[in-house]
C-alpha cells in the first residue's frame, strides 16, 4: 500500500506540466501545489486537473530565486519537484532543508554545480530527507540506463550517453525542444568527460569530436558532438571505476544549422548571462535571445519525428565482449496525440514521477543527496513502463580472444 504524499511542482513550464499531469493519476497523491513566478498557466492547469483527482490542488506565486518565497509553500509538503531553471537549485534545496522536504531536480547548472549539490549530502541526511540530482531523461533515465547495463557486466570499458532526434519542427526560427537557457549554456560550454586516470576533464572547445552514431531505427545514423553534461561528472566514480571503466562521455546529435546558430551567438556575445547596459536598461544578452524563442511547451503538436536517449556501454560478461545500448525512444506525434505534450518534455517529466512512485511505495528510502544512477534500475523501469515510457535494450556479443600461450 502506498503512503499518501503531498507534492509541490516548482516551475510550471512544459516539464512541470508533465509532472503535474502524471501525479494526478496517482492514488497516493494527497495534495498538489503548483508554484511559479507567473501563475496564469498554473491556474489553467490546476483547473484542468482538479476534475481528474480527489487530491487538493493549490497554486501559489513563487520566486525560485528567493529561498524564503520557496520555503513559504513547503511547510507541509513531503517532496518538491524542481522543474524550473537549474540556476535556482540551491535556493530550492536550502528551502527544503528548512522545511525538511525531499527534493528532485532534472538538471544542474554545470558540472561544478552538480558536485556542489552532491556535497550537501550530509546536510540532507541530518535533515532526514532525500535529494535526487538530475532525474529527467538525460540526465536521469540515461544514468539509470547506464547503471542497468553496468550491472549486467563483469567488467566495463566505457560508458557513452547518446541523445539523438531526427524530427522536423513547424517553426521557421531558432528553437530548442527543452529549456533554451540550458540548451545554449551547455552546448557552448567546454564539454566534460571522465577518464579513470585523470577523473573529470574538459575538451578545450565546444562541439568537440564530431562522430556518427547509429541510433535505433527509424532514426539511424546522426552526427553527434561532445557536450557538457551531468552524466560525465558522476558515472565514472559511482558505477564505473569499480568495474574498470576507463572513459565516460556524453554526445548530442545536433543539426548543422543549430550548431552554426549557436556559434554565431557565441561570436556576438549573445550567449552571455552577465547583464549589460543597453540604452539605460540592464539586460543579459542570453535573456534577449531566449525571449525571441518559443517556449518548449508551445511546440507541442509542431514536432514530427523520433527522439532517442540511451546509454551505450562496452564491457565483458563471462568469456564474451558485451555491448549494450539501453534506451528509450518516443515519436513526437504519437506522444502529442496521447498526452498533448511534445515528446522531449514528456520524456523529461515522466522519470521523476517514477521515482515518486517508488518513494510512495516505500521502495526508495535513501536519505542524502544522490545522483540518479543510485536508484535501483529494475523497479524504476517497471514504474516508468507502467506510465507509458518504454525502454529497450540492444545487445551485441563476441568471444574474447584468448591470449596465446608462451612456447
Amino acid at each position: 500500500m502506498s503512503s499518501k504524499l503531498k507534492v509541490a511542482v516548482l516551475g510550471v513550464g512544459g516539464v512541470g506540466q508533465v509532472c503535474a499531469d502524471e501525479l494526478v493519476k496517482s492514488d497516493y497523491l494527497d495534495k498538489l501545489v503548483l508554484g511559479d513566478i507567473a501563475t496564469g498557466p498554473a491556474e489553467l492547469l490546476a483547473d484542468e486537473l482538479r476534475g481528474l483527482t480527489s487530491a487538493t490542488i493549490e497554486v501559489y506565486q513563487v520566486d525560485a530565486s528567493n529561498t524564503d518565497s520557496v520555503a513559504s509553500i513547503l511547510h507541509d509538503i513531503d517532496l518538491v519537484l524542481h522543474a524550473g531553471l537549474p540556476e535556482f537549485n540551491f535556493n530550492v534545496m536550502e528551502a527544503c532543508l528548512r522545511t525538511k522536504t525531499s527534493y528532485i531536480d532534472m538538471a544542474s547548472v554545470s558540472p561544478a554545480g552538480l558536485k556542489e549539490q552532491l556535497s550537501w549530502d550530509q546536510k540532507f541526511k541530518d535533515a532526514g530527507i532525500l535529494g535526487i540530482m538530475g532525474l529527467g531523461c538525460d540526465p536521469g533515465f540515461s544514468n539509470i540506463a547506464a547503471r542497468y547495463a553496468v550491472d549486467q557486466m563483469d567488467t566495463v570499458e566505457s560508458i557513452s550517453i547518446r541523445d539523438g532526434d531526427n524530427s522536423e519542427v513547424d517553426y521557421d526560427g531558432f528553437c530548442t525542444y527543452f529549456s533554451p537557457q540550458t540548451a545554449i549554456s551547455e552546448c557552448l560550454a567546454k564539454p566534460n568527460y571522465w577518464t579513470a586516470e585523470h577523473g573529470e576533464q574538459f575538451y578545450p572547445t565546444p562541439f568537440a569530436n564530431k562522430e556518427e552514431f547509429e541510433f535505433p531505427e527509424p532514426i539511424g545514423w546522426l552526427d553527434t558532438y561532445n557536450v557538457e553534461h551531468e552524466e560525465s561528472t558522476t558515472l565514472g566514480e559511482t558505477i564505473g571505476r569499480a568495474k574498470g571503466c576507463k572513459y565516460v562521455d556524453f554526445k548530442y546529435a545536433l543539426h548543422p544549422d543549430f550548431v552554426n546558430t549557436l556559434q554565431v551567438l557565441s561570436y556576438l556575445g549573445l550567449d552571455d548571462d552577465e547583464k549589460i547596459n543597453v540604452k539605460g536598461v540592464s539586460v543579459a544578452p542570453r535573456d534577449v535571445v531566449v525571449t525571441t524563442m518559443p517556449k518548449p511547451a508551445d511546440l507541442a503538436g509542431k514536432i514530427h519525428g523520433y527522439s532517442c536517449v540511451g546509454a551505450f556501454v562496452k564491457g565483458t560478461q563471462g568469456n564474451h565482449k558485451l555491448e549494450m545500448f539501453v534506451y528509450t525512444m518516443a515519436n513526437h506525434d504519437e506522444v502529442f496525440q496521447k498526452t498533448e505534450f511534445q515528446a522531449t518534455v514528456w520524456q523529461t517529466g515522466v522519470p521523476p514521477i517514477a521515482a515518486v512512485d517508488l518513494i510512495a511505495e516505500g521502495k526508495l528510502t535513501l536519505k542524502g543527496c544522490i545522483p540518479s544512477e543510485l536508484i535501483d534500475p529494475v523497479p524504476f523501469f517497471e514504474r516508468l513502463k507502467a506510465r507509458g515510457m518504454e525502454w529497450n535494450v540492444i545487445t551485441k556479443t563476441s568471444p574474447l580472444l584468448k591470449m596465446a600461450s608462451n612456447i
Side-chain angles (χ1 to χ4, degrees):
M1 178 139 181
S2 298
S3 300
K4 290 288 187 178
L5 289 180
K6 295 179 174 65
V7 182
V9 175
L10 185 59
V12 194
V15 173
Q17 292 173 29
V18 174
C19 291
D21 187 67
E22 288 295 323
L23 281 167
V24 299
K25 300 174 184 176
S26 310
D27 291 339
Y28 58 73
L29 184 66
D30 181 50
K31 178 180 178 180
L32 174 63
V33 167
L34 303 177
D36 203 303
I37 191 71
T39 58
E43 292 283 8
L44 291 174
L45 180 63
D47 288 342
E48 293 177 12
L49 298 181
R50 286 190 177 104
L52 304 176
T53 179
S54 59
T56 301
I57 301 180
E58 299 175 354
V59 176
Y60 294 98
Q61 184 177 43
V62 181
D63 180 357
S65 69
N66 185 300
T67 300
D68 292 337
S69 178
V70 177
S72 70
I73 69 164
L74 299 183
H75 57 90
D76 65 341
I77 298 297
D78 302 301
L79 172 71
V80 60
L81 302 176
H82 183 212
L85 294 176
E87 63 194 81
F88 302 132
N89 285 350
F90 291 104
N91 303 85
V92 182
M93 290 174 67
E94 180 62 39
C96 287
L97 286 174
R98 291 187 194 176
T99 59
K100 293 184 168 49
T101 303
S102 288
Y103 168 90
I104 298 175
D105 67 38
M106 291 92 203
S108 297
V109 73
S110 66
L114 173 57
K115 289 178 179 178
E116 186 175 351
Q117 285 184 264
L118 293 171
S119 76
W120 288 34
D121 181 55
Q122 192 58 52
K123 295 180 183 179
F124 269 56
K125 285 178 178 176
D126 291 343
I129 58 176
L130 171 63
I132 306 176
M133 278 74 245
L135 182 51
C137 192
D138 54 334
F141 170 87
S142 54
N143 301 62
I144 299 170
R147 162 75 181 277
Y148 179 87
V150 167
D151 285 352
Q152 316 306 311
M153 299 183 182
D154 298 323
T155 68
V156 173
E157 178 185 334
S158 63
I159 301 172
S160 304
I161 308 302
R162 297 292 182 263
D163 182 328
D165 194 305
N166 71 346
S167 64
E168 296 182 353
V169 58
D170 300 331
Y171 182 77
D172 291 333
F174 180 54
C175 66
T176 62
Y177 297 171
F178 61 100
S179 166
Q181 293 95 327
T182 301
I184 292 170
S185 63
E186 71 183 16
C187 286
L188 289 175
K190 293 180 179 179
N192 58 328
Y193 65 102
W194 179 93
T195 68
E197 183 177 2
H198 299 294
E200 187 176 36
Q201 299 178 82
F202 295 84
Y203 290 110
T205 59
F207 309 114
N209 304 321
K210 176 183 174 182
E211 70 170 353
E212 280 194 311
F213 182 80
E214 186 179 13
F215 291 90
E217 292 296 334
I219 295 181
W221 292 93
L222 293 175
D223 289 336
T224 64
Y225 304 79
N226 278 116
V227 170
E228 177 193 89
H229 235 250
E230 292 88 337
E231 295 94 331
S232 301
T233 301
T234 63
L235 289 175
E237 298 296 343
T238 53
I239 62 174
R241 188 182 290 279
K243 290 196 174 183
C245 182
K246 297 180 178 63
Y247 180 79
V248 179
D249 75 357
F250 174 95
K251 283 193 174 182
Y252 193 17
L254 300 171
H255 192 279
D257 291 346
F258 185 85
V259 173
N260 291 339
T261 300
L262 286 180
Q263 288 175 327
V264 170
L265 291 178
S266 178
Y267 180 76
L268 295 174
L270 293 174
D271 62 316
D272 201 330
D273 61 358
E274 292 294 325
K275 291 186 176 181
I276 59 175
N277 188 287
V278 181
K279 296 182 178 180
V281 178
S282 181
V283 61
R286 191 180 69 186
D287 289 345
V288 176
V289 174
V290 169
T291 301
T292 68
M293 299 169 65
K295 294 180 180 179
D298 295 339
L299 296 176
K302 299 178 181 179
I303 308 172
H304 315 288
Y306 289 81
S307 170
C308 178
V309 173
F312 181 55
V313 182
K314 294 181 180 180
T316 66
Q317 185 185 68
N319 60 353
H320 285 78
K321 291 183 179 180
L322 177 61
E323 296 180 358
M324 296 183 71
F325 187 55
V326 184
Y327 68 96
T328 184
M329 183 181 289
N331 179 294
H332 286 278
D333 288 307
E334 290 179 0
V335 170
F336 177 71
Q337 289 167 7
K338 292 178 181 178
T339 70
E340 297 187 359
F341 296 109
Q342 52 110 321
T344 302
V345 297
W346 181 79
Q347 286 178 305
T348 305
V350 176
I353 306 306
V356 180
D357 292 341
L358 294 176
I359 291 170
E361 295 168 18
K363 295 181 179 178
L364 179 52
T365 59
L366 297 171
K367 305 300 179 186
C369 293
I370 64 168
S372 50
E373 65 265 23
L374 296 189
I375 298 172
D376 188 346
V378 174
F380 176 84
F381 283 158
E382 289 173 352
R383 304 310 178 280
L384 205 63
K385 188 172 183 178
R387 290 190 175 271
M389 189 165 165
E390 298 289 337
W391 63 284
N392 298 280
V393 183
I394 296 174
T395 302
K396 179 180 177 181
T397 62
S398 60
L400 285 170
L401 295 176
K402 294 183 178 179
M403 299 292 291
S405 56
N406 294 325
I407 297 176

